[in-house]
Amino acid sequence: MGASDPEVVPWARGGAAGMAGAGAGAGARGGAAAGVEARARDPPPAHRAHPRHPRPAAQPSARRMDGASGGLGSGDNAPTTEALFVALGAGVTALSHPLLYVKLLIQVGHEPMPPTIGTNVLGRKVLYLPSFFTYAKYIVQVDGKIGLFRGLSPRLMSNALSTVTRGSMKKVFPPDEIEQVSNKDDMKTSLRKVVKETSYEMMMQCVSRMLAHPLHVISMRCMVQFVGREAKYSGVLSSIGKIFKEEGLLGFFVGLIPHLLGDVVFLWGCNLLAHFINAYLVDDSVSDTPGGLGNDQNPGSQFSQALAIRSYTKFVMGIAVSMLTYPFLLVGDLMAVNNCGLQAGLPPYSPVFKSWIHCWKYLSVQGQLFRGSSLLFRRVSSGSCFALE
């Protein structure tokens, strides 16, 4: 998933947020998208409704169980379950923080080590920038091992706030009216269900993103202080005071719009693509017999293959869409640190941008809209100041 993850990535973004964009990000996005394309098996032929008679109403899914049903996250178990999700999210966030930290420093253009000469698949000499592991070793040399976790505290608070917000919204606006997509549905009905559930997930994602964004801004600024060795942003409370004093209330929401747009595009793109692929490309023309038998020659094979394809469609679509939405993540993170008094947000590292659109256009002209999307094989771009002798 990416340098921004308001929730446990995504798919835990699914979030592939993604490996490249998602870190995080990607995070965050996949978790919001998960579950839209879940499909249930048809009942055995003996119990199948006649085509001319209306089908019985779908049974409520496990996530819509009420307190009396003993479902997960309901009744007396709700506080415990929510605390468990917060704890798991904190663990994942802490473990992935060094990866996000290095990604952010690359995004702002901080390259403290010279590139090395290597060869590509065609045997030509190319310049490669340090990989994540080399970059992480450099940070350890400068700040020690604890330096890899700079800015972790506000990020943990941001992710916890996002998780609690989503849980609270589900209680205030329970998804009782949202039906799971079933392979019994026709195209129009299944599409309506996907649109309804995606709209619900989009609402939760946008609200949690807006509430957690101020802490995300603080986390980003704490991390980029590595570039200029500043100590302007240290604690969460002192950082809140500095931002409010220097930039006002709007200073807490710089970079929010591109992040919101990236979340919305990710959710709709991932869910709709997965839905149409499952609807048009996955073959459901198999006989549903007890035990999931497909046909006499190869029992169960067709049904199992279709089920397996559907289970991976959302994951693959999440990775693909997170790569396409990575520029939104990059622009949002750059705007969060731009012109805030830190060296990483001022020339020569970055111009002072008038808006996120100005930032997008600048990166597009420079061919840098995907800067930081790769952390292993990082070739020097043609517009870089590095050159082969």
Side-chain angles (χ1 to χ4, degrees):
M1 271 215 146
S4 138
D5 260 63
E7 43 189 46
V8 184
V9 256
W11 8 299
R13 206 75 178 97
M19 279 293 293
R29 295 174 181 169
V36 177
E37 288 296 324
R39 294 173 179 259
R41 295 186 180 182
D42 288 346
H47 302 284
R48 193 191 301 263
H50 193 276
R52 295 185 179 180
H53 297 285
R55 295 190 180 98
Q59 297 297 321
S61 63
R63 73 175 192 170
R64 297 196 298 273
M65 292 181 178
D66 56 21
S69 65
L72 182 64
S74 60
D76 297 335
N77 292 330
T80 304
T81 303
E82 189 170 281
L84 178 61
F85 276 115
V86 171
L88 289 175
V92 173
T93 299
L95 291 175
S96 63
H97 189 76
L99 186 71
L100 181 141
Y101 184 22
V102 171
K103 175 188 286 290
L104 179 63
L105 294 179
I106 294 173
Q107 285 178 334
V108 299
H110 185 53
E111 299 291 349
M113 293 168 288
T116 57
I117 300 177
T119 56
N120 58 15
V121 292
L122 300 178
R124 298 177 180 176
K125 289 185 178 181
V126 293
L127 288 175
Y128 286 101
L129 292 167
S131 66
F132 161 75
F133 300 102
T134 305
Y135 211 127
K137 288 180 181 178
Y138 173 78
I139 295 176
V140 172
Q141 291 174 359
V142 175
D143 282 345
K145 293 182 180 179
I146 195 68
L148 289 172
F149 298 93
R150 182 193 293 261
L152 176 60
S153 296
R155 185 167 174 242
L156 287 173
M157 296 172 65
S158 173
N159 287 2
L161 178 60
S162 176
T163 302
V164 172
T165 300
R166 294 174 67 87
S168 300
M169 289 188 64
K170 285 185 177 181
K171 295 176 183 177
V172 177
F173 305 102
D176 296 330
E177 302 299 326
I178 298 180
E179 302 175 85
Q180 292 292 315
V181 177
S182 169
N183 57 0
K184 297 182 294 183
D185 299 327
D186 57 31
M187 188 62 190
K188 184 177 181 179
T189 302
S190 61
L191 179 59
R192 177 181 56 81
K193 291 181 179 180
V194 170
V195 170
K196 192 171 184 179
E197 185 162 354
T198 303
S199 300
Y200 178 80
E201 294 290 347
M202 180 183 68
M203 176 192 67
M204 290 199 302
Q205 177 67 15
C206 289
V207 173
S208 63
R209 168 73 73 179
M210 287 188 290
L211 293 179
H213 192 75
L215 290 168
H216 171 73
V217 171
I218 294 174
S219 178
M220 297 293 103
R221 294 185 180 185
C222 288
M223 286 188 274
V224 299
Q225 289 182 135
F226 178 84
V227 176
R229 312 304 300 162
E230 299 107 336
K232 181 177 180 180
Y233 300 94
S234 52
V236 174
L237 294 179
S238 61
S239 299
I240 292 175
K242 284 185 176 68
I243 294 176
F244 184 77
K245 182 179 179 180
E246 297 177 1
E247 305 172 52
L249 190 61
L250 293 179
F252 295 103
F253 298 96
V254 288
L256 175 62
I257 294 179
H259 275 300
L260 287 176
L261 290 176
D263 290 341
V264 171
V265 172
F266 176 88
L267 278 172
W268 286 99
C270 181
N271 290 347
L272 291 178
L273 283 174
H275 169 71
F276 287 123
I277 288 176
N278 287 337
Y280 286 108
L281 301 182
V282 179
D283 185 13
D284 266 340
S285 58
V286 292
S287 60
D288 297 319
T289 58
L293 301 181
N295 52 55
D296 295 337
Q297 290 76 21
N298 194 4
S301 61
Q302 294 182 20
F303 182 83
S304 299
Q305 290 174 5
L307 200 61
I309 292 173
R310 289 194 189 93
S311 65
Y312 286 107
T313 300
K314 181 59 65 73
F315 177 75
V316 174
M317 288 300 100
I319 295 177
V321 177
S322 68
M323 294 175 64
L324 295 176
T325 57
Y326 179 80
F328 291 100
L329 173 71
L330 174 61
V331 171
D333 289 343
L334 291 182
M335 291 302 297
V337 301
N338 189 251
N339 196 26
C340 65
L342 299 178
Q343 185 176 333
L346 296 170
Y349 283 96
S350 169
V352 176
F353 299 116
K354 299 178 181 178
S355 66
W356 71 270
I357 298 178
H358 179 202
C359 179
W360 184 294
K361 290 180 178 179
Y362 173 82
L363 292 173
S364 179
V365 171
Q366 298 293 322
Q368 298 288 315
L369 274 176
F370 290 89
R371 183 170 66 192
S373 61
S374 175
L375 296 179
L376 294 179
F377 302 101
R378 303 174 53 224
R379 288 183 55 182
V380 175
S381 62
S382 56
S384 173
C385 60
F386 300 109
L388 282 169
E389 295 182 356

